[in-house]
Amino acid sequence: MAAEEAAPCRHRGAPPDEVVTRVAEIIEAISNDADYLYRRGISAEEFDLALPIAIEKLRGSRSASSSDRKDFLLQIFSYMQSRGAISSFLAPKYGDDTVYRLSVPQIGDVAVVQKGCPDGKHSSVAWSVPNWAVETYLWWVCPSLKGDPGWHVSAGVKRLRGEFFSSRLDTLDGIIFHSNLCGSDLRPCPKKARAVKIGDADVPPPCIWIMPERGSGSEYNWTGNRQRRFPAVLLSSFGISAAESPLFTGNVGFRVGASEGTIITSRFGSGCSTSSRS
């Protein structure tokens, strides 16, 4: 099963090759139009020299910054508090690790570790479980269109598998993939019907996967039987009842030995699921 099947959504798609070619032709025409450039106070030589830097600057300005990602999560947690799903939360201070402390009634303190796109090593390896956390989740706030969401999640889980079977002592309870791109025209969401209004945006429920726990044997959450409590709390903010929450909660499973493998199963409603296996 393809890596893209690890998540239920797909990006809208890259523009056709002919459109890309046409844009390149337009840029080339501008670089060759000395009169046009002169009227805008720049020479052809200056244009050619500055073009690569200008493209990088433009690409950077269109990418979500760390503060944008933080603002997105703060809006989510503020909304959860307004709905009574959490009683309070503490945001990380500037310069500290991006760990949010959520006080959840009937559960205790839950840690959410904010990261960027999961295919990056830092976003899947550089984390730790706080000693105060009852449950800990890695939340990937990924705005990248480089690959479909499932591809990103699969790449992140591959790194997490290495961490799971390493000598490190801490493990995650789950992972979440969700950003302000989810539910937009660029990243349509099959859970759009369950979206809620947060600020000016219609925000669909996040994709959540429960991770395995360590133990003996050759299978770790392979059949998705591990239960965690925070996913139902998070989903309740989107009007999804506790009874429905398993229909919107996926799982990650590992196998070792002769039948070694990894399975990532996503669920997005009654009878709706997709899986990636490697």
Side-chain angles (χ1 to χ4, degrees):
M1 290 176 272
E4 288 76 9
E5 298 296 323
C9 52
R10 299 288 185 277
H11 290 137
R12 188 177 63 187
D17 289 342
E18 57 269 22
V19 174
V20 175
T21 300
R22 182 58 183 149
V23 170
E25 290 173 349
I26 292 172
I27 294 174
E28 187 69 22
I30 292 173
S31 68
N32 291 327
D33 191 339
D35 291 339
Y36 175 86
L37 295 173
Y38 177 78
R39 291 196 300 272
R40 280 153 180 79
I42 188 173
S43 69
E45 292 77 13
E46 290 170 330
F47 181 87
D48 288 339
L49 184 64
L51 180 59
I53 301 172
I55 290 174
E56 285 300 315
K57 183 177 181 180
L58 180 62
R59 187 171 69 175
S61 67
R62 291 186 174 185
S63 298
S65 66
S66 178
S67 61
D68 292 334
R69 295 193 292 268
K70 183 177 180 179
D71 288 345
F72 173 75
L73 286 189
L74 289 176
Q75 288 186 37
I76 295 285
F77 299 148
S78 295
Y79 181 78
M80 291 180 69
Q81 185 175 7
S82 72
R83 299 277 295 181
I86 60 176
S87 56
S88 63
F89 66 92
L90 291 175
K93 296 180 180 179
Y94 180 79
D96 291 346
D97 291 339
T98 49
V99 180
Y100 300 78
R101 184 170 183 167
L102 280 56
S103 295
V104 185
Q106 312 304 320
I107 297 180
D109 288 346
V110 172
V112 172
V113 184
Q114 173 197 314
K115 291 294 183 180
C117 292
D119 55 303
K121 182 178 180 180
H122 177 80
S123 293
S124 296
V125 175
W127 52 266
S128 60
V129 173
N131 56 17
W132 47 259
V134 177
E135 296 182 9
T136 299
Y137 294 80
L138 206 60
W139 190 313
W140 288 317
V141 188
C142 177
S144 174
L145 299 174
K146 181 174 69 174
D148 281 316
W151 177 87
H152 282 285
V153 172
S154 181
V157 168
K158 182 178 180 180
R159 292 187 186 275
L160 290 178
R161 180 186 174 106
E163 297 300 292
F164 185 84
F165 291 109
S166 72
S167 60
R168 71 183 296 165
L169 300 178
D170 50 355
T171 59
L172 297 167
D173 292 282
I175 52 177
I176 301 167
F177 186 93
H178 197 220
S179 76
N180 56 6
L181 199 61
C182 295
S184 69
D185 290 340
L186 291 174
R187 188 185 286 168
C189 179
K191 297 171 288 185
K192 185 71 172 179
R194 309 303 291 264
V196 298
K197 182 71 74 173
I198 300 179
D200 297 328
D202 291 322
V203 182
C207 286
I208 310 168
W209 296 266
I210 295 175
M211 290 289 291
E213 62 181 335
R214 291 194 177 110
S216 58
S218 61
E219 293 188 351
Y220 302 82
N221 200 37
W222 189 259
T223 57
N225 57 353
R226 190 184 188 206
Q227 301 294 313
R228 298 284 83 189
R229 299 176 69 184
F230 180 67
V233 174
L234 176 54
L235 292 169
S236 71
S237 302
F238 294 83
I240 296 172
S241 68
E244 287 183 293
S245 65
L247 304 176
F248 291 86
T249 305
N251 66 278
V252 172
F254 300 139
R255 267 182 178 167
V256 294
S259 57
E260 179 176 315
T262 298
I263 187 167
I264 307 169
T265 300
S266 297
R267 298 181 180 88
F268 50 104
S270 180
C272 299
S273 66
T274 181
S275 293
S276 171
R277 185 171 172 178
S278 59

